[in-house]
Amino acid sequence: MLRTVTCGALTIKNLGESVVLCGWVQKSRDLGGMTFIDIRDRYGITQLVFNTDDNSELCEKARSLGREFVIKASGTVVERSNKNPKMATGDVEIKITALEILNPAKLPPFLIDDETDGGDELRMKYRYLDLRRSPVRNNLILRHKMAQSVRRYLDGLDFIEVETPVLIKSTPEGARDFVVPSRMNEGQFYALPQSPQTFKQLLMVSGFDRYFQIVKCFRDEDLRADRQPEFTQIDCEMSFIEQEDILNTFEGLIRTLFKEVRHYDLPEVPRMQYADAMRFYGSDKPDTRFDMQFFELTGWVKGKGFPVFDNAELVVGINAKGCAHYTRKQLDALTDFVKRQQIGATGLIYMRHNDDGTLKSSVDKFYNEEELRVWSAGFETEPGDLVLVMAGSKDKVRKQLSELRLEMGNQLGLRDKNTFSALWVLDFPLLEWDEETERYHAMHHPFTSPKPEDIKLLDTKPGEVRANAYDMVVNGIEIGGGSIRIHDRTLQALMFKHLGFSKEEAQKQFGFLMDAFEFGAPPHGGIAFGFDRLTSIFAGLDSIRDVIAFPKNNSGRDVMIDSPSTIDDKQLKELSIRVQL
């Protein structure tokens, strides 16, 4: 080893020791007779000191060092006269006796420090430099610790880690596939897996009753802060279980991760029906760090001559505690917020519960104080509270009010990133109607089992069939989801029928799975957690990009290596591909 110790290890206990350090020059300070160099590696920073009186040649060499030069420094550990309590090594410095430049460096395009002057695109172009920064490096160390904790927990429960194929078959359900042409099979294509779903089910048929994999998955879809074209899942499956077994096993995993990695005691995770989540929060992934549940006014406000309410399918609102002091300007800003194109509301109604107990609303022309008392009772308001009400079609207005609820949570400081609230959401609809294709699609995937008591509704009321499906939500973010699977060929064929597959199409796409069911498939179910998303929550980040070593930008490009890119004509010819521009 070129070094005897790392740059974050030395303390006052090491005084007098001879050491050799290697790393990058973080900064230098020339004070005339003394030169100070901060040397950095992934473990920390140590101050090196050069004294002209001791060795003028060595001091001159130190002055020639630029930022990010790679150096090897030998010397003796001494006590610092001006100690730095913000550094782990701040009690000591190294009095240098030898200095070797291992590699000079160009001046980096942005400051490599906790607070940098580099924008997102610049840092992505030079990601290998960005990874030298402590916040980004610490995110990847956190990711490593989480992966190790996952493996320890699941190994302790007899799960076996099995790698499944990356070159698989394209299927029509779900997001768009990334496809890979096959040179040896002209005109045919592999797909990159959106998940290892069918393979983990086949492993259950094979008798591997407890499987897991920390696995790369791929989806060719539009990107946002919590999406990348390639992402990582903690993928799990179990045999001979019921839904309760899955919930208990993987609630244990999440609570263990919080305890071991975040040092946070996550309480027992409550459960909520999908229907209740939509009714009380307008979302299947409610942020339960704060209350502010929906209350429906529909039956009480119609027939009073106010067209907005009279013509609405649903009138619903929230109680923003302590916000009666909001000015007209603030209320107008909230109205503008819900009118944004991304939300699409037409307006916002409010009612103040004033400090003197009186009630005042923006629709006093239509509702007297006695009628507003009904609102107050329903929302359980107290003096100082502000009721915000929206009206419209059920599905739209609930989503719109959900966005407003989250905005109020932000404004009131109720969404602290160091506070965590987890929730199981259960019994999702099995199918959802797609207006564009005019047919039902699987809300989760085609292999999800319906509730046995709802199977009879498949032919008459398919939209009312509930799935044996469950999601785990943390702080309003879905971190994992799964289901009890279909393990019977007849029921799987029925499911494909209701998804619009002909018998021939179902056999062509999924015949291998249905054939396997005839050789003794056990009851089974599983779950997959978004590993990038979970890590970003632990790190307190809004985007998953900084917990991925080499992420893509919002256009799906790796600007560092300039990918995707064209390939030459020879490769295209070998793959029998013609490109028309």
Side-chain angles (χ1 to χ4, degrees), residues 429-489:
L430 181 71
L431 306 169
E432 58 183 346
W433 181 257
D434 186 285
E435 294 288 349
E436 188 175 329
T437 60
E438 295 187 337
R439 69 181 181 92
Y440 281 102
H441 290 264
M443 181 169 268
H444 278 70
H445 54 61
F447 318 108
T448 297
S449 173
K451 290 280 186 182
E453 61 269 29
D454 289 357
I455 293 176
K456 61 181 182 292
L457 298 174
L458 274 171
D459 288 323
T460 56
K461 299 178 180 178
E464 296 182 15
V465 179
R466 294 168 302 159
N468 260 323
Y470 33 82
D471 279 0
M472 179 174 276
V473 178
V474 174
N475 292 359
I477 299 170
E478 178 209 330
I479 62 163
S483 65
I484 301 300
R485 321 301 188 191
I486 297 170
H487 65 280
D488 172 78
R489 181 180 183 124

Side-chain angles (χ1 to χ4, degrees), residues 37-147:
I37 302 289
D38 285 350
I39 183 174
R40 181 194 73 240
D41 62 12
R42 78 172 175 92
Y43 303 95
I45 296 175
T46 299
Q47 179 171 280
L48 313 180
V49 58
F50 300 81
N51 193 324
T52 303
D53 294 338
D54 294 335
N55 190 324
S56 59
E57 185 178 335
L58 192 60
C59 201
E60 196 61 37
K61 190 174 185 179
R63 291 192 183 106
S64 72
L65 298 177
R67 276 168 42 198
E68 302 306 313
F69 273 43
V70 188
I71 62 172
K72 174 183 174 183
S74 305
T76 305
V77 182
V78 297
E79 189 170 2
R80 283 180 64 161
S81 57
N82 57 332
K83 296 183 180 180
N84 184 348
K86 296 181 180 179
M87 287 173 56
T89 61
D91 290 340
V92 298
E93 60 191 8
I94 313 302
K95 188 176 181 181
I96 298 302
T97 56
L99 176 66
E100 180 182 350
I101 299 175
L102 298 176
N103 214 337
K106 290 169 60 177
L107 187 68
F110 54 85
L111 186 62
I112 297 177
D113 211 336
D114 289 4
E115 298 295 330
T116 183
D117 56 354
D120 285 349
E121 201 72 6
L122 185 64
R123 291 190 298 112
M124 291 304 101
K125 181 175 176 62
Y126 296 95
R127 183 61 167 179
Y128 48 86
L129 296 179
D130 196 38
L131 288 169
R132 293 181 187 175
R133 296 174 53 239
S134 295
V136 185
R137 182 176 63 247
N138 290 339
N139 291 339
L140 294 186
I141 293 171
L142 171 69
R143 184 187 181 100
H144 161 76
K145 289 179 178 177
M146 292 181 68

Side-chain angles (χ1 to χ4, degrees), residues 120-265:
D120 285 349
E121 201 72 6
L122 185 64
R123 291 190 298 112
M124 291 304 101
K125 181 175 176 62
Y126 296 95
R127 183 61 167 179
Y128 48 86
L129 296 179
D130 196 38
L131 288 169
R132 293 181 187 175
R133 296 174 53 239
S134 295
V136 185
R137 182 176 63 247
N138 290 339
N139 291 339
L140 294 186
I141 293 171
L142 171 69
R143 184 187 181 100
H144 161 76
K145 289 179 178 177
M146 292 181 68
Q148 297 310 305
S149 185
V150 167
R151 288 190 166 96
R152 282 194 302 271
Y153 178 86
L154 294 175
D155 181 64
L157 294 178
D158 293 329
F159 280 78
I160 297 172
E161 187 166 11
V162 181
E163 295 181 29
T164 52
V166 174
L167 296 175
I168 65 166
K169 183 177 187 175
S170 182
T171 57
E173 288 291 315
R176 296 184 190 89
D177 288 324
F178 281 102
V179 294
V180 181
S182 171
R183 179 181 59 81
M184 293 182 289
N185 299 275
E186 186 175 332
Q188 296 183 315
F189 297 82
Y190 301 104
L192 302 181
Q194 295 185 33
S195 88
Q197 182 61 43
T198 55
F199 289 99
K200 66 180 180 179
Q201 290 191 247
L202 291 171
L203 285 169
M204 297 303 104
V205 178
S206 303
F208 288 82
D209 64 329
R210 294 190 169 202
Y211 143 93
F212 86 99
Q213 187 181 185
I214 299 179
V215 58
K216 273 293 182 83
C217 301
F218 307 85
R219 291 179 187 171
D220 187 6
E221 58 187 358
D222 295 336
L223 306 182
R224 55 179 189 239
D226 60 348
R227 283 184 182 170
Q228 285 276 297
E230 53 179 307
F231 58 96
T232 305
Q233 286 185 178
I234 306 169
D235 199 61
C236 309
E237 199 81 3
M238 301 172 71
S239 292
F240 305 114
I241 47 82
E242 295 177 326
Q243 177 173 291
E244 191 68 21
D245 303 302
I246 296 284
L247 301 184
N248 290 335
T249 299
F250 294 101
E251 179 175 325
L253 170 62
I254 295 302
R255 293 178 70 184
T256 296
L257 282 172
F258 270 101
K259 182 71 173 176
E260 291 186 358
V261 180
R262 200 59 169 72
H263 308 298
Y264 188 95
D265 287 315

Side-chain angles (χ1 to χ4, degrees), residues 334-347:
L334 289 179
T335 303
D336 291 340
F337 173 82
V338 299
K339 284 183 173 180
R340 291 188 310 165
Q341 186 176 359
Q342 304 95 309
I343 298 177
T346 55

Side-chain angles (χ1 to χ4, degrees), residues 223-433:
L223 306 182
R224 55 179 189 239
D226 60 348
R227 283 184 182 170
Q228 285 276 297
E230 53 179 307
F231 58 96
T232 305
Q233 286 185 178
I234 306 169
D235 199 61
C236 309
E237 199 81 3
M238 301 172 71
S239 292
F240 305 114
I241 47 82
E242 295 177 326
Q243 177 173 291
E244 191 68 21
D245 303 302
I246 296 284
L247 301 184
N248 290 335
T249 299
F250 294 101
E251 179 175 325
L253 170 62
I254 295 302
R255 293 178 70 184
T256 296
L257 282 172
F258 270 101
K259 182 71 173 176
E260 291 186 358
V261 180
R262 200 59 169 72
H263 308 298
Y264 188 95
D265 287 315
L266 189 72
E268 184 176 333
V269 180
R271 302 174 183 184
M272 183 181 293
Q273 297 292 307
Y274 168 87
D276 288 337
M278 298 304 296
R279 179 185 172 194
F280 293 122
Y281 297 99
S283 170
D284 59 3
K285 46 182 183 294
D287 187 343
T288 51
R289 281 174 292 184
F290 63 106
D291 188 15
M292 217 179 287
Q293 288 190 5
F294 293 6
F295 181 74
E296 297 181 9
L297 284 168
T298 313
W300 290 322
V301 297
K302 284 180 175 288
K304 304 295 182 180
F306 183 43
V308 173
F309 287 173
D310 288 344
N311 298 329
E313 183 182 12
L314 177 67
V315 181
V316 62
I318 55 175
N319 179 3
K321 303 291 292 181
C323 292
H325 65 276
Y326 266 38
T327 64
R328 183 58 185 265
K329 183 178 180 181
Q330 287 174 298
L331 291 168
D332 287 345
L334 289 179
T335 303
D336 291 340
F337 173 82
V338 299
K339 284 183 173 180
R340 291 188 310 165
Q341 186 176 359
Q342 304 95 309
I343 298 177
T346 55
L348 181 65
I349 308 299
Y350 67 85
M351 182 196 79
R352 286 192 178 97
H353 192 151
N354 296 316
D355 290 336
D356 62 3
T358 59
L359 302 175
K360 182 72 175 173
S361 80
S362 56
V363 287
D364 282 350
K365 179 180 178 181
F366 302 97
Y367 300 91
N368 59 39
E369 184 148 343
E370 182 180 346
E371 290 165 330
L372 293 180
R373 292 286 170 196
V374 177
W375 296 27
S376 176
F379 287 102
E380 299 180 351
T381 65
E382 299 173 325
D385 291 349
L386 176 70
V387 170
L388 300 170
V389 179
M390 301 179 74
S393 62
K394 281 185 178 180
D395 291 342
K396 284 186 178 180
V397 78
R398 282 183 176 138
K399 290 178 182 177
Q400 292 162 354
L401 187 60
S402 175
E403 293 295 330
L404 178 61
R405 175 182 177 270
L406 294 177
E407 174 62 18
M408 294 307 300
N410 287 331
Q411 291 191 17
L412 297 174
L414 301 175
R415 305 183 73 193
D416 180 6
K417 290 181 180 179
N418 292 311
T419 299
F420 301 97
S421 179
L423 177 73
W424 282 113
V425 180
L426 310 177
D427 297 347
F428 282 76
L430 181 71
L431 306 169
E432 58 183 346
W433 181 257

